[in-house]
Amino acid sequence: MGIEEYGGGQHESSDVLVVTTNDVPGFYVQKVIGEVFGLTVRSRHLGSQIGAGLKSLVGGELRGLTKTLVQTRNQAMERLVDQARSRGANAVLMFRFDVTEAADVGTEVCAYGTAVVLAPRS
């Protein structure tokens, strides 16, 4: 697997900027829209659970599970951006991920932040 399969984040052409900071240099918050989030829950299939169990005997990275988690986080982030865009935002500040086990059947990934409208400083 190449490095692109383990990465995430936005594409340069995205119309909604997502940052983990409170502000963006050169811009000011013109309007606060409010909290937005993207949520997804994924279960692992039996094959990956067996493979992970066997791999844990010898140690090392669980590549299949890593790839699944990256895909899950990217999907949650895409949903966050879609929600922000639909509410009129052009940015999300204080972006975070929250990952938890969901009733022992899967992994819940929530991407969240504050949707805002940014304007350039004069």
Side-chain angles (χ1 to χ4, degrees), residues 62-81:
L62 305 174
R63 289 183 180 217
L65 294 178
T66 300
K67 187 175 177 182
T68 298
L69 185 55
V70 167
Q71 291 169 343
T72 304
R73 287 173 64 123
N74 288 343
Q75 182 179 46
M77 186 170 181
E78 287 171 15
R79 290 178 178 177
L80 166 108
V81 169

Side-chain angles (χ1 to χ4, degrees), residues 40-56 62-72 99-109:
T40 186
V41 178
R42 295 270 179 108
S43 65
R44 294 185 297 250
H45 62 78
L46 183 59
S48 72
Q49 287 179 320
I50 292 170
L54 293 173
K55 182 70 173 183
S56 69
L62 305 174
R63 289 183 180 217
L65 294 178
T66 300
K67 187 175 177 182
T68 298
L69 185 55
V70 167
Q71 291 169 343
T72 304
V99 180
T100 58
E101 288 298 313
D104 294 329
V105 295
T107 301
E108 172 191 344
V109 176

Side-chain angles (χ1 to χ4, degrees), residues 15-18 27 30 33 84-85 88-92 115-119:
D15 60 333
V16 177
L17 177 66
V18 179
F27 292 84
Q30 187 175 48
I33 295 171
R85 183 183 301 113
N90 66 357
V92 176
V116 300
V117 174
L118 291 180

